Amino acid sequence: MRLLVTGGAGFIGANFVHSTVRDRPNVAVTVLDALTYAGSRESLAPVADDVRLVEGDITDAALVDTLVAESDAVVHFAAETHVDNALADPEPFLRSNVIGTFTVLEAVRRNDVRLHHVSTDEVYGDLPLDAKDRFTAETRYNPSSPYSSTKAAADLLVRSWVRSYGVRATISNCSNNYGPYQHVEKFIPRQITNVLTGRRPKLYGSGANVRDWIHVDDHNRAVWRVLTDGGLGRTYLIGADGERSNLAVMRAVLRLMDRDPDDFDHVTDRAGHDLRYAIDPSALRDELGWAPEHTEFDLGLAATIAWYRDNESWWGPMKDTAEAAYQEWGR
Ligand code: NAD
Ligand code: TDX
């Protein structure tokens, strides 16, 4: 199989490429990535001899068409992904997430190539903190931020290209990922690298907000399940029953790094901050037989902390820039 992976130099995409090279020797991987601030060649260094990396933008229709025409399937990860950046400057989110997905859709339509579109649970908005209900594929779209509304727009484009043009596509909406190669702007790597650089960890508001954590390798195994056996036109929700408050995650990071669990600062809350995300993954489990392997959050978190300890050369160059932005935003 010739597989085109957009955004393969970012966090989830790079982990997807690593595991694909390791586990699926019959797959020839081409990565298309603009190498924005969030993507780097270094994230693909361990597989540099095994994949083709094309530096380019998913809004470049001619380039995307050429690469799609050479492929049997596309897994589309490329996007602007950080909610705080979207609040500060939404324009790149419209361009990459909406126009970019449109460009990928037109290329797979012209060339009749299978597409898997990677999306987020944030398209459903948030749930009350005290409720038991979880997101399903039937939950109404209700995005809160410029990030999640552009991801929602992209999902709706995919659905309509399936219905109107018969494009062979699937969609997955996953919860919060953690693991190696995640940018230090995101919650867990930010706190780990704050401790490692002698900064104080930063918790937005009270920390009562709940996220549903999944290890990136479990997400990527689910993406492969959907790509190979998912129903065309279907949406699958991916989650690992990992609901935790931000405060609990903060304390777990500090405990695993041998710090006082209360040794952090409360900072100004994020505007429009979603309260709780929670995924009901039963369709994926029951229909496609997927189950998460990383079921002990503490073990996955400890391994992630160890990875950041051992790979300062990867994250060090981006840390000061990320923290300068946070300082400007007062967070
Ligand atoms: P990331 O920000 O780490 O990586 C995004 C990658 O896309 C980068 O390599 C970047 O260079 C590339 N990119 C951005 N704009 C591009 C463009 N116009 N053209 C080509 N490449 C471009 O993101 P991530 O966390 O790995 O997320 C990957 C996908 O998974 C996204 O679609 C995101 O919405 C989705 N997702 C992420 C999470 C999460 O917890 N991180 C959860 C659910 C879904
Ligand atoms: O320093 C911080 N302190 C803090 O309390 C940061 C960076 C975040 N937070 C909070 C905000 C959120 O409630 O932690 C939670 C997680 O924050 P992020 O890592 O920014 O993730 P989130 O906003 O939940 O979105 C993520 O999950 C879904 C990804 O960034 C998205 O790309 C994905 O779609």
Side-chain angles (χ1 to χ4, degrees), residues 7 9-13 32-36 38-40 56-59 76-81 95-96 118-121 147 151 174-177 182 186 219:
F11 162 46
I12 304 175
L32 172 61
D33 198 297
L35 301 180
T36 70
S40 77
D57 203 289
I58 52 164
T59 60
H76 175 38
F77 290 101
E80 287 289 337
T81 62
R95 210 180 54 78
S96 290
V118 177
S119 190
T120 169
D121 59 359
Y147 164 64
K151 290 297 291 186
C174 188
S175 60
N176 284 61
N177 285 223
Q182 187 169 29
K186 302 282 170 36
H219 178 185

Side-chain angles (χ1 to χ4, degrees), residues 27-282:
V27 177
V29 176
T30 297
V31 169
L32 172 61
D33 198 297
L35 301 180
T36 70
Y37 82 95
S40 77
R41 240 171 239 288
E42 289 69 40
S43 299
L44 291 172
V47 292
D49 295 337
D50 306 297
V51 303
R52 173 167 67 136
L53 171 57
V54 178
E55 182 175 351
D57 203 289
I58 52 164
T59 60
D60 179 342
L63 174 63
V64 171
D65 194 72
T66 302
L67 294 175
V68 167
E70 296 167 1
S71 306
D72 301 308
V74 179
V75 178
H76 175 38
F77 290 101
E80 287 289 337
T81 62
H82 191 38
V83 174
D84 292 319
N85 287 344
L87 292 166
D89 180 14
E91 194 276 339
F93 291 72
L94 272 293
R95 210 180 54 78
S96 290
N97 301 2
V98 183
I99 303 297
T101 300
F102 160 74
T103 308
V104 170
L105 278 167
E106 284 293 83
V108 296
R109 171 161 87 97
R110 267 193 302 274
N111 295 286
D112 188 23
V113 169
R114 170 84 168 87
L115 169 68
H116 180 69
H117 171 68
V118 177
S119 190
T120 169
D121 59 359
E122 299 195 23
V123 299
Y124 299 114
D126 60 356
L127 296 162
L129 283 179
D130 52 1
K132 287 264 177 289
D133 54 330
R134 305 197 287 179
F135 300 136
T136 70
E138 282 69 50
T139 304
R140 188 171 67 91
Y141 272 41
N142 187 28
S144 317
S145 73
Y147 164 64
S148 52
S149 58
T150 56
K151 290 297 291 186
D155 294 8
L156 298 182
L157 292 178
V158 176
R159 288 183 184 193
S160 63
W161 259 242
V162 168
R163 169 128 181 198
S164 301
Y165 303 117
V167 160
R168 292 179 293 127
T170 42
I171 300 175
S172 57
N173 297 84
C174 188
S175 60
N176 284 61
N177 285 223
Y178 73 97
Y181 295 102
Q182 187 169 29
H183 196 280
V184 296
E185 69 192 355
K186 302 282 170 36
F187 179 52
I188 289 177
R190 185 182 184 205
Q191 312 317 329
I192 296 170
T193 56
N194 274 7
V195 172
L196 293 177
T197 56
R199 295 172 165 96
R200 282 175 68 79
K202 309 286 184 200
L203 188 68
Y204 294 178
S206 69
N209 308 61
V210 169
R211 296 294 182 264
D212 190 354
W213 292 98
I214 182 171
H215 193 279
V216 63
D217 288 341
D218 284 331
H219 178 185
N220 283 330
R221 283 188 312 101
V223 167
W224 264 111
R225 291 295 300 125
V226 176
L227 181 65
T228 50
D229 289 316
L232 295 181
R234 290 276 306 276
T235 288
Y236 294 89
L237 273 64
I238 305 174
D241 300 320
E243 281 188 70
R244 274 173 185 76
S245 71
N246 292 342
L247 177 62
V249 173
M250 176 69 91
R251 288 202 163 127
V253 168
L254 287 165
R255 181 169 40 76
L256 291 168
M257 298 186 80
D258 297 322
R259 302 293 156 126
D260 181 332
D262 291 318
D263 206 5
F264 63 86
D265 294 334
H266 289 275
V267 293
T268 316
D269 210 351
R270 174 184 281 172
H273 196 174
D274 280 341
L275 287 175
R276 171 175 165 252
Y277 305 140
I279 292 273
D280 175 355
S282 41

